[in-house]
Amino acid sequence: MSVVGLDVGSQSCYIAVARAGGIETIANEFSDRCTPSVISFGSKNRTIGVAAKNQQITHANNTVSNFKRFHGRAFNDPFIQKEKENLSYDLVPLKNGGVGIKVMYMGEEHLFSVEQITAMLLTKLKETAENSLKKPVTDCVISVLGTAFDPFLGGKNFDEKLVEHFCAEFKTKYKLDAKSKIRALLRLYQECEKLKKLMSSNSTDLPLNIECFMNDKDVSGKMNRSQFEELCAELLQKIEVPLYSLLEQTHLKVEDVSAVEIVGGATRIPAVKERIAKFFGKDISTTLNADEAVARGCALQCAILSPAFKVREFSVTDAVPFPISLIWNHDSEDTEGVHEVFSRNHAAPFSKVLTFLRRGPFELEAFYSDPQGVPYPEAKIGRFVVQNVSAQKDGEKSRVKVKVRVNTHGIFTISTASMVEKVPTEENEMSSEADMECLNQRPPENPDTDKNVQQDNSEAGTQPQVQTDAQQTSQSPPSPELTSEENKIPDADKANEKKVDQPPEAKKPKIKVVNVELPIEANLVWQLGKDLLNMYIETEGKMIMQDKLEKERNDAKNAVEEYVYEFRDKLCGPYEKFICEQDHQNFLRLLTETEDWLYEEGEDQAKQAYVDKLEELMKIGTPVKVRFQEAEERPKMFEELGQRLQHYAKIAADFRNKDEKYNHIDESEMKKVEKSVNEVMEWMNNVMNAQAKKSLDQDPVVRAQEIKTKIKELNNTCEPVVTQPKPKIESPKLERTPNGPNIDKKEEDLEDKNNFGAEPPHQNDSCGIVNSY
């Protein structure tokens, strides 16, 4: 299982993975760890990331960027209408009122939704991760909504301040309206972004120069850090607002914060750092990589969630960023009931069970409780209709239990609904159904049961009563619950008690309680319909296949081009001696014709046409290349073979001269060595003489691989013989003497004879050893 974290930004993206015991940020096919959030559409395929950004100026109308902020907004949203003025591509309304992006693709006009464009970017990031990990990527963690934030306070907003300044300056100084030509405006955006980054590390005046900006005119300007901060004073004042919001939500004071770490590209601006440091009254830390920290944090969270990775015990609790409420109509009244099911920063994933008393189907509407706190104009989440609800047989309202949930992905839904139905049973049925009834009423003991469920009882005119269990696990349908009236079963002993002076009471009917699952019709505001989603998936699959085919076609074309350039250079260099003069001239002519074909008729051909051209060239070029390679490798192989032959011939000679090193080898075995050496030596002399008679432009008599095979055969025959180990000679057996160490018996006798008549050693002296081993 792969563990991947994605930081998807408005201008760029980063990918982090967990492997080899750590977390690292991976690079794309351009060896760049930053992938621009840009998609470009062409006549044959799409380009995404770095390649797309490189085409942003030349293919401005069909290159899409800065589209992340369009999510969750209608086309008539004021923000969309304002952004539309500064875009190089066209925005149009979709049938559902959303934002559509119109581009020319494959020679035809296409209309894509923001979700489709985002899916294209995610597909590219997925492909990059798979190429790095060498395995499929099916799960990941993506960074999306923040605890406290301002969606209009980021690096792009600082760029826009610079662009507005220089647009006004160039209009006054050069009489040029940069906003009238989108290519000029895009070039200005790129240069302003570079200038902004330079001012983060330089406080002096910095130049901005653009050649042939508009109407073949060059433009120039300058800016320093103090001017930039004065220009962005309005943005800098907005920094403290999310910081105050953060402290309010966490119920902390500035004095309670012990350390502050800042991340994000815009935090490199010195004025931003100063504002944050001043707010907290302490120095801020920048130990993390400002650009990559979020992606690495996502990868860590993915590793925590993954069962395939074991990480340190980190306590990470996701939260519901905005409070969510439900509204419904009472069964017999026109008044509405409202209940906040999830407060702000409520733990997630989490489930709650609400109980309603109803005689028929009813509707619930989910919405964000604080519309002003949501960064999007639409506060509604969706409408849910609980169907197949009916009154009890006695006409009473049915108890309907509805489970609402915010899942691991932070998505709100009404997951299940069930109706408690009371069914009367006959006396003779109770004995046979008693055991089963007990089993049905027993709470399930499933390890996957959602213990993180709150029981809310909601009825017209009453406030819900909530019981909380703080444990968090996965969800499951609510277990059957009975009210106190439903749980009353006549006691057997009390039923048998009868008063003498009263007549016997009539038997009460037995009641069986059944939970009936109810269907739910969900209509979410921004959710894609199933048919539309399937169409999007099919369209994306076709585009992926087209991109793949076009890549293969371009690769085949590039292979022909590379082959032409490579052989043309080498035919006048190292390959010149390995082709005859006539073939040399003919091949050069063919290479020139192929080059002309590539830039004329062959500019836009099918893949197979380039494959056939390459095969035609290789029929002539491959033999020349082989002759050159053989001429390089063959002498080395012959030298190695000669050395092995000399080595084994010398061993054979030493054996004939009775060298002690080889006297343990059987003579018949050594004859095999001599025979093999003589045969191989004769073969080598013959092929060397034959090769000497050949010119370099002719195919070789023998290949380097054949010589290598001969070396292997020679070693397999001779090496086991000449490396035979000598037989081991057993050492003399040692015996322990009463007064000393182990010595050989014969040497002990010899010692006694040499020391005959000598005085015995002193008692305190150690026994001497005559011969030490």
Side-chain angles (χ1 to χ4, degrees):
M1 182 178 178
S2 55
V3 169
V4 178
L6 302 179
D7 179 17
V8 182
S10 296
Q11 294 178 291
S12 58
C13 305
Y14 290 87
I15 310 171
V17 299
R19 62 181 174 187
I23 295 175
E24 61 180 278
T25 309
I26 61 176
N28 53 33
E29 70 273 24
F30 293 89
S31 299
D32 191 350
R33 293 190 288 191
C34 174
T35 299
S37 303
V38 183
I39 295 98
S40 182
F41 297 88
S43 59
K44 294 288 184 181
N45 64 332
R46 306 170 300 175
T47 53
I48 305 173
V50 177
K53 189 171 184 179
N54 293 337
Q55 300 179 15
Q56 195 165 18
I57 305 298
T58 56
H59 296 84
N61 294 337
N62 290 312
T63 301
V64 183
S65 61
N66 294 315
F67 51 87
K68 180 182 175 182
R69 296 179 178 181
F70 301 160
H71 277 285
R73 296 183 182 275
F75 178 77
N76 57 8
D77 188 302
F79 172 78
I80 297 295
Q81 296 303 314
K82 182 181 178 182
E83 286 289 303
K84 185 180 177 183
E85 300 174 358
N86 299 325
L87 297 176
S88 62
Y89 50 92
D90 292 333
L91 295 184
V92 295
L94 296 176
K95 292 181 180 179
N96 62 359
V99 180
I101 297 171
K102 185 171 67 174
V103 294
M104 290 295 294
Y105 171 59
M106 300 285 290
E108 298 179 357
E109 188 177 275
H110 283 259
L111 187 62
F112 297 109
S113 67
V114 181
E115 291 81 5
Q116 284 180 284
I117 297 294
T118 304
M120 297 175 194
L121 178 62
L122 292 175
T123 299
K124 177 64 177 180
L125 300 178
K126 176 176 180 285
E127 177 187 322
T128 302
E130 289 178 340
N131 292 336
S132 177
L133 294 171
K134 308 300 181 187
K135 57 183 176 182
V137 172
T138 55
D139 299 292
C140 67
V141 169
I142 305 177
S143 66
V144 293
L145 267 165
T147 300
F149 54 87
D150 185 341
F152 306 108
L153 180 61
K156 184 175 180 292
N157 301 96
F158 286 95
D159 295 343
E160 288 173 348
K161 289 292 184 181
L162 288 174
V163 170
E164 290 292 333
H165 169 79
F166 284 109
C167 278
E169 182 177 317
F170 294 161
K171 193 170 185 177
T172 304
K173 188 175 179 181
Y174 299 101
K175 308 300 180 184
L176 297 175
D177 184 7
K179 294 184 178 180
S180 64
K181 288 190 177 181
I182 192 62
R183 292 186 179 180
L185 186 62
L186 289 174
R187 291 183 66 190
L188 183 58
Y189 263 104
Q190 291 182 352
E191 294 302 320
C192 287
E193 184 181 1
K194 295 177 183 176
L195 180 64
K196 177 191 68 175
K197 293 178 179 179
L198 288 172
M199 285 190 291
S200 295
S201 55
N202 297 276
S203 58
T204 58
D205 288 346
L206 295 173
L208 181 142
N209 301 310
I210 307 176
E211 296 181 354
C212 298
F213 182 63
M214 288 178 64
N215 303 333
D216 294 330
K217 287 186 178 180
D218 300 340
V219 296
S220 62
K222 63 179 181 179
M223 176 76 68
N224 58 43
R225 186 188 296 173
S226 60
Q227 292 174 327
F228 175 60
E229 293 175 357
E230 183 179 349
L231 195 66
C232 301
E234 181 184 354
L235 292 175
L236 295 173
Q237 290 176 357
K238 297 169 67 176
I239 292 177
E240 295 182 356
V241 177
L243 298 179
Y244 278 116
S245 174
L246 176 66
L247 292 179
E248 179 185 352
Q249 293 181 54
T250 55
H251 305 291
L252 295 175
K253 298 180 181 178
V254 173
E255 308 85 61
D256 299 329
V257 179
S258 57
V260 179
E261 180 79 30
I262 58 172
V263 296
T267 59
R268 292 191 176 96
I269 300 175
V272 174
K273 294 181 181 178
E274 292 172 5
R275 291 271 179 161
I276 299 175
K278 182 179 179 181
F279 178 85
F280 287 101
K282 54 176 62 64
D283 293 336
I284 54 178
S285 175
T286 56
T287 57
L288 298 176
N289 186 305
D291 296 315
E292 303 172 6
V294 174
R296 293 167 69 89
C298 290
L300 175 60
Q301 177 69 0
C302 192
I304 293 173
L305 297 174
S306 171
F309 277 74
K310 185 177 181 181
V311 298
R312 292 182 182 178
E313 293 295 332
F314 290 102
S315 177
V316 179
T317 303
D318 282 337
V320 180
F322 310 111
I324 298 175
S325 293
L326 282 179
I327 186 172
W328 63 87
N329 285 325
H330 291 288
D331 203 12
S332 59
E333 303 174 17
D334 293 334
T335 58
E336 292 181 337
V338 181
H339 176 53
E340 184 173 279
V341 287
F342 294 106
S343 59
R344 188 175 191 180
N345 293 328
H346 193 290
F350 206 92
S351 297
K352 292 185 179 181
V353 175
L354 308 177
T355 302
F356 297 88
L357 298 180
R358 289 291 183 271
R359 290 189 175 90
F362 61 99
E363 184 180 281
L364 299 170
E365 183 175 313
F367 64 96
Y368 292 113
S369 309
D370 181 18
Q372 302 300 323
V374 181
Y376 297 98
E378 182 59 74
K380 294 180 180 178
I381 298 174
R383 301 172 70 183
F384 305 86
V385 180
V386 182
Q387 301 175 334
N388 296 356
V389 180
S390 61
Q392 297 294 313
K393 291 185 178 181
D394 57 3
E396 293 184 3
K397 295 181 179 180
S398 296
R399 293 172 59 85
V400 180
K401 296 183 178 181
V402 175
K403 177 185 276 190
V404 296
R405 178 169 177 80
V406 173
N407 62 17
T408 307
H409 311 297
I411 298 174
F412 174 87
T413 186
I414 294 183
S415 56
T416 60
S418 62
M419 180 174 64
V420 180
E421 189 173 285
K422 294 182 286 187
V423 181
T425 59
E426 298 297 334
E427 179 72 21
N428 54 3
E429 292 180 5
M430 286 302 296
S431 58
S432 60
E433 295 179 356
D435 294 338
M436 184 171 294
E437 181 68 21
C438 292
L439 290 174
N440 289 337
Q441 294 182 12
R442 184 178 303 164
E445 298 180 358
N446 190 336
D448 295 333
T449 299
D450 190 353
K451 297 180 181 177
N452 192 11
V453 176
Q454 290 187 356
Q455 302 288 338
D456 291 10
N457 298 318
S458 301
E459 193 173 355
T462 62
Q463 291 295 330
Q465 297 177 355
V466 180
Q467 299 174 355
T468 306
D469 184 349
Q471 298 184 23
Q472 296 183 356
T473 54
S474 61
Q475 64 176 344
S476 70
S479 58
E481 293 183 4
L482 305 178
T483 60
S484 58
E485 291 78 14
E486 294 164 347
N487 281 322
K488 289 181 180 178
I489 298 177
D491 189 288
D493 295 333
K494 292 183 179 179
N496 292 329
E497 293 180 0
K498 298 181 180 179
K499 294 185 178 179
V500 177
D501 56 345
Q502 292 182 357
E505 295 181 357
K507 293 185 177 179
K508 293 183 180 180
K510 305 294 183 179
I511 301 297
K512 181 174 70 173
V513 178
V514 178
N515 266 327
V516 180
E517 294 296 324
L518 302 176
I520 302 172
E521 179 186 342
N523 297 294
L524 299 178
V525 175
W526 288 111
Q527 187 180 45
L528 299 176
K530 190 173 183 180
D531 294 339
L532 183 61
L533 180 60
N534 290 334
M535 187 190 76
Y536 283 172
I537 293 173
E538 183 180 354
T539 303
E540 178 64 18
K542 290 179 180 178
M543 289 190 289
I544 291 174
M545 182 56 65
Q546 178 60 32
D547 293 342
K548 182 180 179 182
L549 293 175
E550 182 62 15
K551 182 180 183 301
E552 292 176 353
R553 192 188 74 86
N554 285 328
D555 290 345
K557 180 181 178 182
N558 293 336
V560 177
E561 190 177 37
E562 290 175 7
Y563 198 87
V564 169
Y565 291 149
E566 178 189 3
F567 255 85
R568 178 183 291 161
D569 292 341
K570 291 185 177 179
L571 281 177
C572 299
Y575 290 176
E576 187 174 9
K577 299 177 183 178
F578 299 91
I579 185 172
C580 66
E581 185 61 27
Q582 185 63 36
D583 291 343
H584 186 274
Q585 296 300 325
N586 293 337
F587 196 23
L588 282 177
R589 188 182 307 110
L590 179 60
L591 290 172
T592 302
E593 292 174 356
T594 304
E595 182 183 21
D596 295 339
W597 175 82
L598 278 173
Y599 297 111
E600 295 173 1
E601 182 183 350
E603 176 67 28
D604 189 13
Q605 293 289 327
K607 173 187 173 183
Q608 192 58 43
Y610 299 118
V611 173
D612 295 341
K613 271 294 181 188
L614 184 60
E615 290 179 353
E616 181 184 356
L617 296 175
M618 293 179 70
K619 286 180 181 178
I620 304 174
T622 300
V624 179
K625 184 177 181 180
V626 169
R627 291 174 203 145
F628 169 77
Q629 292 175 341
E630 289 294 326
E632 293 284 316
E633 295 295 324
R634 191 170 52 249
K636 300 176 183 177
M637 292 292 100
F638 272 137
E639 182 180 0
E640 183 177 347
L641 178 57
Q643 292 174 352
R644 300 309 298 169
L645 287 171
Q646 290 179 5
H647 173 68
Y648 294 128
K650 183 177 183 302
I651 291 177
D654 291 343
F655 176 81
R656 294 299 174 194
N657 294 331
K658 308 297 183 183
D659 192 321
E660 292 183 359
K661 289 190 294 184
Y662 307 107
N663 58 10
H664 61 286
I665 300 176
D666 188 83
E667 185 172 357
S668 62
E669 295 290 328
M670 188 57 72
K671 284 183 179 180
K672 293 180 183 178
V673 173
E674 291 176 336
K675 181 182 178 183
S676 180
V677 169
N678 292 334
E679 289 176 352
V680 174
M681 190 174 293
E682 181 181 0
W683 175 85
M684 186 179 74
N685 291 332
N686 290 337
V687 295
M688 288 182 71
N689 291 333
Q691 183 62 44
K693 297 175 183 179
K694 292 278 188 179
S695 61
L696 292 177
D697 59 2
Q698 292 179 307
D699 291 335
V701 174
V702 63
R703 300 288 181 94
Q705 184 60 40
E706 296 178 56
I707 305 172
K708 191 174 182 179
T709 302
K710 283 291 181 182
I711 296 173
K712 186 175 181 181
E713 293 175 352
L714 181 66
N715 288 335
N716 290 340
T717 302
C718 301
E719 200 65 21
V721 177
V722 301
T723 58
Q724 290 182 26
K726 287 187 176 183
K728 293 183 179 180
I729 301 175
E730 293 185 2
S731 58
K733 188 175 181 181
L734 300 180
E735 296 180 1
R736 177 166 298 277
T737 61
N739 297 320
N742 295 336
I743 57 174
D744 188 61
K745 198 72 173 175
K746 294 181 180 178
E747 292 178 346
E748 186 182 37
D749 295 341
L750 180 61
E751 182 183 0
D752 292 340
K753 291 181 180 179
N754 291 337
N755 292 322
F756 181 75
E759 293 183 1
H762 199 272
Q763 286 187 349
N764 293 332
D765 293 338
S766 61
C767 297
I769 301 177
V770 177
N771 295 323
S772 60
Y773 293 91

